[in-house]
Amino acid sequence: MRNHTNLLKLLLKHSDVLPHANSNFALTIAVQQGHLQSLILLLNDSRVDPTCRNNFALEITCKNGFVLCFQAILNHQNIDPSYKDNHLICFAASVGQTDCLRLLLNHHAVDPTTQNNYPIRIAAKEGHLDCLQLLLDDPRVDPTVNQNEPLLSAIARQHTSCLKLLLKDPRIDPASRHNLAIRVLAMNGDLEPLQILLADSRINPSTNNNEPVITCAFNGHAHSLAVLLTHPLVDPSARNNLAIATAASNGFHECVQILLSHPKVDPTVDNNYPYRMAIRNQHVRCADLLLQDSRVSDLVKLSEASCPL
C-alpha cells in the first residue's frame, strides 16, 4: 500500500497526469477500496472534485463503513453534507452506519430533523439500535414524529431492543391514539413486543372495550391471547363474550380452550352461539371443546329435549 501511495505522489506531480480524468475515476477507486492515504492525496489536489457523481464518494464510504475516509471527505472545503435536503444523514441512518451518523450530527450544516425527522423514523424501522440511540440523544430530534411512528415501526418490525429503548424516552407515550401500539400488536400476534408493552404501566390492554383480546381471538393468536389474559384489566367476556364467539366461529380451537379456562367467560352466551357457530362452520375441534364444558353440554341437552325428533 505504501508503494502505491508513493507512486501516486509521483504521478500527481507529473504534468501529463490528470487525476480528475474519466469523471474523477481515481477518486472513485480510492473510496471504493477504502484507501485512506491515496484518498487524502487526491483530496489535496485542487483538480479533483470530491462532490462528483452526486457526492458518490461520501455515500460509498458511508455505506461501506470506511469511517476515516468518510471523515476526510466530510472535512473537505467543497463538501456540503446537507446536499439534497440532508440526504446523507438519512442515508447513514438507513444503512446503520453509527460512526458516520455521529460525524454528521456534529456537523453544523446537518439537520437531523430533515424530511419530517426521517433519520429517526428509518433507524427505528430498520432496527439500527445504535443509530437510534444517537438520534434520541440529540435534542433537535422528535421521537414522537407522526404520532409515534418510530415506536410503531419498531413494533411492526419486531425490533424489540429498539422498542425498549424508545419506551425509556419520556417524550414517547405508548398509550397514544387510544393505545394504538397494543392494538396493532394484538392484530399481528407478535408475542415478545406484546410482553414488553404489557410491562409498561401506561398501557391499557382493555382499551376500546377490550379490543386487543377480541382481536387476538379473532385472528387466532393463542399465545398472545394467553399473555393478555394475565393482565388484571383485561376482561375476555367484554362485548357479550365476543372473544370466544369469534374464536369458535373462525375455528381457532387453541383460543377457545384458553378462553374456556377463564372464569369470566360464558360459552353459553346468546343461546350457545359459540357452539352453534362452530357446528355451522364445521369446526369440529372447537365444537368438541365447547361440549366438554358442562355449561354448554347441559344447554345442548336441554335444547334437544325441548325439540324432540
Side-chain angles (χ1 to χ4, degrees):
M1 182 64 71
R2 182 177 299 173
N3 290 336
H4 291 164
T5 304
N6 291 333
L7 178 59
L8 180 58
K9 285 181 181 178
L10 291 174
L11 287 170
L12 288 173
K13 291 177 181 179
H14 199 286
S15 59
D16 290 336
V17 172
L18 302 175
H20 59 295
N22 298 320
S23 301
N24 288 270
F25 186 67
L27 178 71
T28 299
I29 294 298
V31 296
Q32 285 180 332
Q33 301 299 321
H35 293 163
L36 178 61
Q37 296 305 319
S38 297
L39 174 61
I40 291 174
L41 287 174
L42 290 168
L43 289 174
N44 288 332
D45 191 301
S46 60
R47 294 168 294 178
V48 173
D49 179 13
T51 69
C52 69
R53 296 169 59 192
N54 295 317
N55 287 277
F56 170 83
L58 272 174
E59 293 193 20
I60 197 64
T61 52
C62 177
K63 180 180 179 181
N64 292 335
F66 299 147
V67 181
L68 293 178
C69 291
F70 180 83
Q71 186 172 21
I73 302 167
L74 190 64
N75 291 336
H76 194 279
Q77 60 183 1
N78 292 340
I79 288 291
D80 176 12
S82 66
Y83 69 91
K84 288 170 60 177
D85 196 12
N86 285 273
H87 165 77
L88 189 59
I89 192 171
C90 297
F91 180 74
S94 71
V95 296
Q97 290 296 347
T98 309
D99 292 330
C100 294
L101 178 62
R102 183 181 291 107
L103 289 170
L104 289 168
L105 286 171
N106 290 329
H107 197 288
H108 67 89
V110 174
D111 178 12
T113 70
T114 185
Q115 301 177 45
N116 195 21
N117 284 272
Y118 183 82
I120 195 170
R121 292 191 288 123
I122 193 63
K125 182 178 180 181
E126 297 299 330
H128 298 315
L129 182 63
D130 292 337
C131 289
L132 183 61
Q133 180 70 73
L134 278 177
L135 290 162
L136 285 172
D137 290 341
D138 192 303
R140 296 170 292 178
V141 174
D142 178 13
T144 69
V145 60
N146 289 352
Q147 296 183 297
N148 283 320
E149 181 184 329
L151 181 73
L152 295 174
S153 292
I155 287 172
R157 294 293 188 94
Q158 299 186 55
H159 298 313
T160 53
S161 295
C162 291
L163 173 59
K164 291 177 181 177
L165 179 61
L166 287 163
L167 288 173
K168 291 178 181 178
D169 193 297
R171 294 168 291 180
I172 293 176
D173 178 12
S176 67
R177 298 166 70 179
H178 303 288
N179 285 269
L180 178 61
I182 199 166
R183 290 191 287 125
V184 168
L185 276 175
M187 186 176 298
N188 296 342
D190 299 326
L191 187 58
E192 188 176 359
L194 177 63
Q195 292 171 321
I196 293 169
L197 276 187
L198 284 176
D200 193 303
S201 60
R202 295 169 292 179
I203 290 290
N204 177 15
S206 66
T207 184
N208 285 7
N209 196 7
N210 287 274
E211 178 186 324
V213 73
I214 294 169
T215 300
C216 280
F218 179 84
N219 289 291
H221 301 315
H223 295 299
S224 295
L225 175 63
V227 169
L228 277 170
L229 290 179
T230 64
H231 198 285
L233 292 179
V234 172
D235 179 6
S237 68
R239 305 193 200 181
N240 199 25
N241 287 273
L242 182 57
I244 194 169
T246 191
S249 180
N250 290 338
F252 297 126
H253 63 275
E254 291 181 343
C255 292
V256 170
Q257 189 169 26
I258 290 168
L259 289 164
L260 282 172
S261 67
H262 197 283
K264 286 187 177 181
V265 172
D266 177 10
T268 68
V269 62
D270 195 13
N271 192 25
N272 262 340
Y273 180 81
Y275 175 74
R276 290 189 289 112
M277 291 306 298
I279 292 295
R280 177 180 176 181
N281 294 331
Q282 301 181 26
H283 299 313
V284 177
R285 295 189 69 175
C286 289
D288 287 346
L289 281 170
L290 288 162
L291 272 180
Q292 291 171 23
D293 188 294
S294 60
R295 295 168 293 178
V296 175
S297 59
D298 289 348
L299 193 58
V300 170
K301 291 175 183 177
L302 183 62
S303 177
E304 291 174 347
S306 63
C307 299
L309 293 176

